[in-house]
Amino acid sequence: MTALMNLAIVGSGYVGLVTGTCFAEVGHHVICVDNDLKKVKSLQAGHIPIYEPGLEELVKKNVAEGRLSFTASIGDAVAASKVIFIAVPTPPQPDGSVDLSFVEGVAREIAMHIKEYRVVVDKSTVPVKTGEKVAQTIKRYNPDAPIDVVSNPEFLREGSAVDDLMKPDRIVFGVSSDKATAVMREIYEPFKAPILVTDLNSAELIKHAANSFLALKISYINAVAAICEASGANVERVAEGMGADHRIGRAFLNAGIGYGGSCFPKDISAFIRISRELGYEFTLLEEVEKINFNQKERFLKKIRESLWVLRAKKIGVLGLAFKGNTDDVRSSVAIEVVKQLISEGAEVTAYDPKGMEKALPLVPGCKMAGKAEDVADGADALLVLTEWSEFKTLPYAAMKKRMLSPLLFDGRNLLDPQEMRGLGFTYTGVGH
Ligand code: UDX
């Protein structure tokens, strides 16, 4: 029988909110902390600031059943909880390094409130050796604090975050004391997932190494896509043939306009930077970044080649979020493509099932459509920029009739080329 615990999660952003909610769902008592009082109040009233399938229901249920609460007070949370998770943002800085000031600030604040044994767990994605610094910081401000510091990276994907957390492939924690190991095992016991216990530095590295490897897979297939285009091969078939080898796997071999989001671009440049500081030039990852950047450029080039001049051309865009099933538009390649088209004089009308509100301030010149099919009205070209599965089943035959010219550029290889050509579109995908 699992011992249920009192847990505090500092930082109620994506990772903090989903993690805290899932901990509550398995029975722990969770206090989510955030220094943004407005956000705390809105969470207390049951308003979820992000779109994440299944999250709202779980938050409401666990609040109603008394296992999940929200506060702005770190002090109250530390007093009530044996384990304190740090899940604050670690935003990128212009030089590619990570801004750790929120982590440091929270560590200092936690230190002030510790009176008895506490396990401080870092869940934010951080450079290797951050855990050591968190421990030093807490000790500096509270030399007698009886603490253990643990690194417990989070592998959730946006859009399937609740599922990823409830049914993880693996749980990793880096820890140096038996006491803290036992506490962490108890917390995760209800999830019935494989647990890997490592030292602090290895756990931190696992996160950056895993994300960089996934990005590398995407850039690899995008490079292969370029060769496919030049040789008349089909990247979908190539990915299938490669992926059937279980040592490779088919996942993350979808060619497209490149990866975006709040994790991959930031984590890869942070990993390059940390590696350099540690004396290793990770040029392989520099190439991954370069291929990702060029992928968007190659896509834009195809549009320019077909339309010749972009000025005053009407372009309909399907998708603004950085991937399907999310309203997140941070570092979205779709947004970058739209910005570029607008800067070259095109008139863009876009639709995204969830991302339009957050996208609007980033692309002020872009018109937002009420329905997906409306982006086709009078369009010279139609672009698919996000892999929303609902875009697979739009009434494309009717949409084509509303367009001025039937050019279709599928930046996510979401649609069936033959079917689209059958409908009369001039279809261009990526890598075939
Ligand atoms: C990623 C990791 O997958 C997750 O484990 C980690 O915790 C956080 O970072 P996330 O950023 O939510 O998750 O999205 P993910 O599904 O990994 O997609 C990232 C980007 O890669 C998206 O822009 C997506 O469109 C793109 N992508 C993904 C591809 O272009 N091709 C693929 O085959 C897969």
Side-chain angles (χ1 to χ4, degrees):
M1 182 62 196
T2 317
L4 298 172
M5 294 218 204
N6 292 333
L7 311 176
I9 317 276
V10 183
S12 301
Y14 224 108
V15 170
L17 183 59
V18 184
T19 309
T21 307
C22 292
F23 281 154
E25 177 63 13
V26 298
H28 298 304
H29 277 96
V30 181
I31 305 176
C32 287
V33 188
D34 206 284
N35 60 2
D36 178 348
L37 205 59
K38 234 170 86 188
K39 191 182 204 174
V40 171
K41 289 218 163 103
S42 132
L43 284 165
Q44 282 167 339
H47 301 129
I48 313 300
I50 49 173
Y51 170 74
E52 186 61 43
L55 183 63
E56 189 167 341
E57 295 82 338
L58 276 196
V59 171
K60 285 187 172 150
K61 176 180 164 217
N62 284 284
V63 168
E65 292 174 5
R67 288 186 302 270
L68 181 63
S69 59
F70 302 95
T71 176
S73 162
I74 289 192
D76 291 353
V78 171
S81 316
K82 183 164 184 185
V83 186
I84 302 129
F85 287 81
I86 302 178
V88 291
T90 49
Q93 307 200 92
D95 67 356
S97 67
V98 185
D99 178 359
L100 291 168
S101 56
F102 298 115
V103 175
E104 195 266 351
V106 166
R108 246 185 306 135
E109 220 182 320
I110 290 172
M112 304 301 185
H113 298 286
I114 290 183
K115 299 204 167 54
E116 50 190 320
Y117 179 69
R118 292 291 181 260
V119 180
V120 178
V121 187
D122 183 27
K123 248 209 183 297
S124 304
T125 300
V126 292
V128 61
K129 297 173 101 59
T130 300
E132 291 175 357
K133 299 227 170 64
V134 167
Q136 284 161 11
T137 302
I138 295 177
K139 288 281 180 199
R140 186 174 320 123
Y141 290 94
N142 185 349
D144 302 322
I147 53 147
D148 277 312
V149 171
V150 175
S151 162
N152 173 214
E154 184 45 65
F155 301 104
L156 64 79
R157 289 163 301 173
E158 294 187 16
S160 54
V162 171
D163 247 24
D164 287 349
L165 248 149
M166 295 305 288
K167 290 176 246 147
D169 284 351
R170 81 303 205 184
I171 287 149
V172 173
F173 45 84
V175 56
S176 53
S177 96
D178 291 344
K179 195 171 171 187
T181 306
V183 170
M184 294 302 290
R185 280 192 188 280
E186 270 180 37
I187 295 173
Y188 279 107
E189 201 278 329
F191 293 90
K192 307 284 176 230
I195 290 179
L196 176 68
V197 184
T198 70
D199 57 280
L200 204 54
N201 290 345
S202 299
E204 287 169 340
L205 256 181
I206 285 169
K207 174 67 193 235
H208 268 147
N211 267 6
S212 299
F213 191 79
L214 290 170
L216 181 145
K217 264 188 112 173
I218 299 169
S219 278
Y220 187 86
I221 201 66
N222 281 336
V224 171
I227 312 293
C228 287
E229 284 170 17
S231 64
N234 183 332
V235 76
E236 302 279 314
R237 298 289 84 76
V238 175
E240 211 177 301
M242 286 172 63
D245 183 330
H246 73 272
R247 294 170 302 176
I248 298 174
R250 175 65 182 81
F252 279 68
L253 286 181
N254 297 321
I257 50 174
Y259 61 76
S262 66
C263 292
F264 283 177
K266 177 190 94 172
D267 290 355
I268 280 82
S269 49
F271 201 25
I272 292 171
R273 172 87 193 195
I274 299 148
S275 305
R276 186 170 300 138
E277 277 167 19
L278 293 167
Y280 181 76
E281 288 296 329
F282 215 147
T283 49
L284 177 65
L285 292 184
E286 286 172 19
E287 200 56 38
V288 167
E289 281 188 325
K290 210 181 292 171
I291 292 169
N292 197 55
F293 179 79
N294 287 341
Q295 203 59 10
K296 176 187 63 203
E297 294 302 313
R298 285 174 13 84
F299 184 71
L300 283 162
K301 193 165 161 233
K302 289 178 199 168
I303 301 168
R304 285 188 205 107
E305 273 168 10
S306 294
L307 286 174
W308 185 22
V309 170
L310 285 180
R311 184 161 303 282
K313 291 283 158 57
K314 283 191 155 191
I315 298 184
V317 164
L318 292 168
L320 293 165
F322 84 97
K323 67 173 197 177
N325 261 345
T326 179
D327 64 349
D328 199 340
V329 293
R330 287 176 290 173
S331 300
S332 168
V333 185
I335 297 280
E336 288 165 29
V337 168
V338 169
K339 268 189 184 162
Q340 186 59 32
L341 294 172
I342 292 175
S343 78
E344 292 181 37
E347 294 168 20
V348 180
T349 304
Y351 175 82
D352 189 282
K354 298 285 173 197
M356 291 193 287
E357 202 183 314
K358 288 186 178 163
L360 203 55
L362 304 178
V363 280
C366 179
K367 272 195 220 134
M368 298 295 170
K371 286 207 303 287
E373 39 270 57
D374 293 350
V375 305
D377 273 341
D380 296 282
L382 184 62
L383 274 45
V384 179
L385 300 182
T386 305
E387 61 273 42
W388 279 98
S389 59
E390 62 189 83
F391 291 160
K392 283 186 195 166
T393 52
L394 294 177
Y396 284 101
M399 286 166 74
K400 185 188 153 269
K401 289 196 187 124
R402 293 160 75 172
M403 293 174 69
L404 220 51
S405 85
L407 294 174
L408 173 54
F409 296 89
D410 184 355
R412 296 293 179 181
N413 289 346
L414 193 74
L415 307 171
D416 182 341
Q418 279 197 357
E419 197 187 322
M420 291 301 132
R421 286 182 187 129
L423 293 177
F425 280 105
T426 307
Y427 176 93
T428 308
V430 179
H432 50 73

